[in-house]
Amino acid sequence: MAAGETQLYAKVSNKLKGRSTPLLLEPLLAMGFPVHTSLKALAATGRKTAEEALAWLHGHCNDPSLDDPIPQEYALFLCPTGPLLEKLQEFWRESKRQCAKNRAHEVFPHVTLCDFFTCEDQKVECLYEALKRAGDRLLGSFPTAMPLALHSSISYLGFFINGSPADVIREFAMTFATEASLLAGEQQFRVHFWIFSQVPGHGLNLRLKNLTTASFVSHCSLQKYCTVKPCTKQLHLTLAHKFYPHHQRTLEQLARAIPLGHGCQWTAALYSRDMRFVHYQTLRALFQYQPQNADELTLSPGDYIFVDPTQQDEASEGWVIGISQRTGCRGFLPENYTDRASESDTWVKHRTYTFSLAADLNSRKDGEASSRRSGEFLSQTARSLSSIQALQATVARKSVLVVRHGERVDQIFGKSWLQQCSTPDGKYYRPDLNFPCSLPKRSHGIKDFENDPPLSSCGIFQSRIAGDALLDSGIRISSVFASPALRCVQTAKLILEELKLEKKVKIRVEPGLFEWTKWESGKTTPTLMSLDELREANFNIDTDYRPAFPLSALMPAESYQEYVDRCTASVLQIVNTQLQDTGVILIVSHGSALDSCTRPLLGLPPRECGDFAQLVRKIPSLGMCFCEENKEEGKWELVNPPVKTLTHGANAAFNWRNWISGN
């Protein structure tokens, strides 16, 4: 290698040290994945962890477009947070209820700074660095208050941003665009050189391995640069777009009711989307579906499906042809298993820069570890804390983990499950392996289980595997609260057993966490096991605990507002009485609790009743929501649960008599 080439090699290698691109790529390449598909997986998952990229690759193993060189599209938005965001979301819900859905409902509240542009997968980290540089450069001049002026026309309603604040925001967008374009040119060379010099024989390197360093530099110079166009037009936050003209007056009245005096932290957020499906409809799977034919798609609740309305000629009535976001595969699916989703539901958030948070760092002691978790760029003054101090600050945060119970027997065997497993004299027997081996004793016999069913055998397994995963995650459970429903108390006990805490941590039964009684069958509340019955059945119950909502106060067929108020009072008492213990509070309840017990902590109003009911239907067994207290900002936040979700398929009953030859 010539002297000039040797110096160039050393310079590039030094610049690569500490960069996350190789660090994220290496474990994927070590597993045998080509460079180009590994980079595509990282870009599609927001370049957060190699584990998420690996899961994406496994999901797309049969994706026919996996090797296609199709980059993601990226956009930079300025997004409100805090009280203003809550009021805007309230406007979103009310405008949709009163005036039907319009184009603004497809995307979250935002101001567009740089409209969608393409960026090759190996250059994405340049966008992150450009965001940080632009934010740091404009941090001192970014407006502390954003003047919003309402503008209305026959097809548009929104807030305009004018004057010097708008000039600063445009300068921020221009700085980001300039930095992104410059950095992308450098990164094109760096990443290709790293591939060329470090991992011969992988993916993209197949066409590079015989190049000299000089010819490699020439090769890189021919690659496309990343072109970012900042917004130079009127800055605006859209409230409604392409609505019916007769709704204009109502929308204006709703918009004028938005209090603009509320505090707001503005966050610059970088999002990406799959450019192939920009003009497609987006569907969300509500139920699981197992294909009956080779040309059908597998559906899991929460899957997103892209559907081209112009390509549905082959589909029969009630069916559509779509492409699964989770797998990349194309096929038929039953339309009534899905619901329309918003356009932005499938977008991936990559990085954010919160201006007021970064500006406050000189007076606040945020550690580097917590800044990485929140995904926000912090200025250099915050990085002076030692890793030990950062760890202590993280441990001191109070957390609440809300978990839905495991699979219940009647969920599989229907309302008549009790008749299937009881003898004429009222004794229990096991007609199927998914029935539990035994039932606990109850004062009024087996009939009391009818409206208070136990976990199935699969539900017991689900609970244990979730508990084992929580043990591996290393989180510290300090207290456990459970709905009085047997299935919830069982789930809590099984999780504690896997955590090796069944003797140390007692279960506190809180009736305020019980299911919305309107959803319970009968005109009276179900007969639930007493604390004494639970203790006799070997449940470690805290009999000294005084619940926030006594069992006798549960009303049959309560209203939605009564249910929400009950859950709010219960979860706030649970959190506020745990002043001295900063471990994780585990709440084991029903699917509805993942919404009704977290929104009060987050300071969010209750959902509309119809939206709430639709949401709860999608929550699987052992579904989890994890709330963490942010003491510095005086609020709670939803963060990633400590363990992954549990997904599995159905297993139908089998009758061997139908298998006899000739029958």
Side-chain angles (χ1 to χ4, degrees):
M1 187 180 292
E5 294 176 348
T6 303
Q7 293 174 1
L8 179 62
Y9 178 89
K11 183 178 180 181
V12 172
S13 297
N14 288 334
K15 286 187 176 182
L16 275 171
K17 288 179 180 178
R19 297 186 67 90
S20 61
T21 299
L23 294 178
L24 291 175
L25 268 179
E26 283 173 352
L28 301 177
L29 298 178
M31 296 178 190
F33 292 104
V35 173
H36 66 288
T37 56
S38 299
L39 288 170
K40 175 180 279 193
L42 288 168
T45 56
R47 286 193 179 233
K48 296 179 179 68
T49 64
E51 289 77 10
E52 290 184 50
L54 179 61
W56 188 93
L57 286 167
H58 285 314
H60 286 256
C61 59
N62 296 317
D63 183 352
S65 66
L66 184 61
D67 291 319
D68 294 346
I70 304 173
Q72 296 277 307
E73 282 190 326
Y74 298 82
L76 184 64
F77 303 116
L78 188 64
C79 304
T81 64
L84 178 58
L85 176 60
E86 294 172 14
K87 294 300 179 182
L88 290 171
Q89 290 172 333
E90 186 177 325
F91 171 87
W92 250 244
R93 291 190 296 269
E94 196 61 23
S95 62
K96 186 176 180 181
R97 186 182 70 84
Q98 294 191 31
C99 305
K101 189 174 183 179
N102 62 68
R103 280 291 298 166
H105 292 117
E106 292 291 334
V107 188
F108 44 81
H110 71 280
V111 178
T112 300
L113 301 183
C114 298
D115 212 344
F116 280 99
F117 59 91
T118 58
C119 180
E120 292 178 292
D121 296 336
Q122 69 268 25
K123 304 179 187 177
V124 176
E125 291 240 346
C126 302
L127 305 182
Y128 306 162
E129 179 64 20
L131 178 58
K132 182 184 182 304
R133 290 187 185 183
D136 288 348
R137 190 171 302 174
L138 275 296
L139 182 59
S141 57
F142 195 85
T144 55
M146 196 77 68
L148 301 175
L150 186 64
H151 175 81
S152 178
S153 69
I154 196 169
S155 63
Y156 176 85
L157 181 72
F159 290 123
F160 280 6
I161 303 174
N162 298 308
S164 57
D167 294 337
V168 174
I169 295 171
R170 288 193 190 93
E171 185 180 355
F172 168 74
M174 180 67 73
T175 303
F176 168 78
T178 303
E179 291 287 351
S181 297
L182 291 174
L183 289 168
E186 297 176 14
Q187 182 73 355
Q188 178 72 38
F189 176 80
R190 291 178 186 174
V191 172
H192 277 187
F193 197 95
W194 179 80
I195 296 166
F196 171 62
S197 60
Q198 300 292 331
V199 284
H202 282 289
L204 287 174
N205 192 56
L206 291 176
R207 56 182 177 147
L208 303 176
K209 61 183 179 181
N210 295 320
L211 297 178
T212 65
T213 305
S215 60
F216 174 78
V217 173
S218 175
H219 164 83
C220 289
S221 67
L222 299 176
Q223 301 301 307
K224 295 181 180 178
Y225 277 37
C226 179
T227 303
V228 185
K229 294 182 179 180
C231 178
T232 57
K233 299 179 181 178
Q234 172 68 60
L235 295 176
H236 58 275
L237 191 157
T238 300
L239 297 175
H241 183 43
K242 293 188 177 179
F243 48 82
Y244 293 111
H246 62 276
H247 286 151
Q248 182 178 359
R249 184 175 179 182
T250 302
L251 290 169
E252 287 178 356
Q253 291 174 342
L254 292 172
R256 291 193 180 97
I258 300 174
L260 299 180
H262 281 285
C264 178
Q265 287 185 345
W266 290 89
T267 296
L270 183 69
Y271 281 85
S272 72
R273 69 182 182 186
D274 194 320
M275 62 187 298
R276 296 173 297 168
F277 307 119
V278 172
H279 301 295
Y280 283 48
Q281 290 180 354
T282 306
L283 303 181
R284 183 190 294 107
L286 300 176
F287 312 106
Q288 189 168 13
Y289 178 75
Q290 292 296 329
Q292 307 300 310
N293 298 289
D295 58 357
E296 295 175 4
L297 280 180
T298 299
L299 296 182
S300 295
D303 280 359
Y304 289 104
I305 311 297
F306 299 110
V307 174
D308 185 352
T310 66
Q311 301 292 324
Q312 300 301 313
D313 295 341
E314 301 175 37
S316 306
E317 184 176 355
W319 291 74
V320 293
I321 304 174
I323 298 175
S324 169
Q325 185 197 36
R326 180 170 58 86
T327 66
C329 297
R330 184 176 185 269
F332 293 92
L333 63 143
E335 191 172 14
N336 62 352
Y337 274 54
T338 66
D339 193 14
R340 281 293 300 272
S342 297
E343 175 186 340
S344 60
D345 287 347
T346 59
W347 295 358
V348 177
K349 182 190 286 188
H350 285 250
R351 298 293 185 273
T352 62
Y353 189 104
T354 301
F355 290 93
S356 57
L357 177 62
D360 288 343
L361 283 173
N362 287 326
S363 59
R364 285 181 21 219
K365 298 280 188 176
D366 267 35
E368 188 171 357
S370 60
S371 72
R372 286 200 192 105
R373 185 176 57 255
S374 65
E376 296 172 334
F377 295 115
L378 305 181
S379 65
Q380 292 300 318
T381 56
R383 305 192 184 276
S384 60
L385 277 179
S386 68
S387 59
I388 295 177
Q389 289 173 309
L391 180 60
Q392 289 172 342
T394 302
V395 171
R397 293 170 185 252
K398 192 184 295 184
S399 306
V400 175
L401 179 62
V402 185
V403 181
R404 189 195 175 194
H405 58 77
E407 180 185 273
R408 45 194 274 183
V409 169
D410 61 332
Q411 182 180 338
I412 303 302
F413 298 102
K415 294 182 178 180
S416 63
W417 73 273
L418 195 58
Q419 286 72 42
Q420 301 174 45
C421 65
S422 53
T423 62
D425 58 350
K427 293 182 179 179
Y428 173 78
Y429 75 98
R430 194 183 188 192
D432 186 281
L433 291 180
N434 205 15
F435 277 82
C437 295
S438 61
L439 296 178
K441 292 183 179 179
R442 302 184 75 149
S443 57
H444 295 94
I446 195 172
K447 64 179 182 179
D448 281 351
F449 286 106
E450 185 168 10
N451 294 320
D452 185 26
L455 294 178
S456 65
S457 296
C458 285
I460 293 171
F461 170 75
Q462 291 170 335
S463 303
R464 288 197 179 280
I465 199 172
D468 183 62
L470 286 171
L471 178 66
D472 289 341
S473 74
I475 69 166
R476 186 174 69 87
I477 301 295
S478 62
S479 54
V480 178
F481 297 82
S483 160
L486 175 58
R487 55 192 179 275
C488 297
V489 182
Q490 285 180 306
T491 302
K493 178 179 184 288
L494 293 164
I495 289 176
L496 285 174
E497 287 179 355
E498 295 302 314
L499 288 169
K500 318 302 181 188
L501 295 174
E502 69 274 17
K503 302 297 183 183
K504 298 178 182 178
V505 178
K506 293 185 176 182
I507 300 171
R508 298 171 184 177
V509 176
E510 175 52 69
L513 301 174
F514 188 64
E515 183 65 279
W516 184 13
T517 57
K518 182 180 178 180
W519 287 345
E520 295 294 319
S521 59
K523 297 182 179 180
T524 60
T525 53
T527 302
L528 303 169
M529 292 182 70
S530 67
L531 299 186
D532 290 337
E533 287 178 321
L534 289 170
R535 290 196 68 181
E536 290 176 8
N538 203 29
F539 291 97
N540 190 11
I541 303 297
D542 186 352
T543 54
D544 295 327
Y545 172 66
R546 297 185 63 180
F549 200 91
L551 185 61
S552 58
L554 281 178
M555 298 182 298
E558 64 190 337
S559 69
Y560 177 58
Q561 189 60 51
E562 289 170 335
Y563 164 71
V564 167
D565 292 343
R566 163 164 65 84
C567 290
T568 300
S570 300
V571 75
L572 291 181
Q573 175 171 308
I574 287 171
V575 170
N576 292 333
T577 54
Q578 303 296 303
L579 298 177
Q580 302 302 320
D581 201 338
T582 56
V584 176
I585 301 169
L586 174 63
I587 293 178
V588 183
S589 186
H590 309 267
S592 53
L594 270 69
D595 188 72
S596 59
C597 288
T598 57
R599 292 181 77 84
L601 295 177
L602 301 171
L604 299 177
R607 296 181 190 273
E608 292 292 328
C609 182
D611 294 338
F612 170 78
Q614 194 171 39
L615 174 77
V616 171
R617 285 194 307 172
K618 308 169 191 175
I619 297 174
S621 300
L622 273 300
M624 298 181 186
C625 277
F626 195 34
C627 290
E628 189 174 77
E629 184 183 28
N630 188 331
K631 290 184 177 180
E632 294 84 355
E633 298 182 26
K635 64 179 183 180
W636 287 75
E637 298 171 332
L638 267 181
V639 295
N640 285 331
V643 299
K644 304 293 185 183
T645 57
L646 173 63
T647 307
H648 54 77
N651 196 47
F654 174 72
N655 189 338
W656 63 271
R657 299 179 192 279
N658 298 333
W659 203 254
I660 299 175
S661 178
N663 284 6

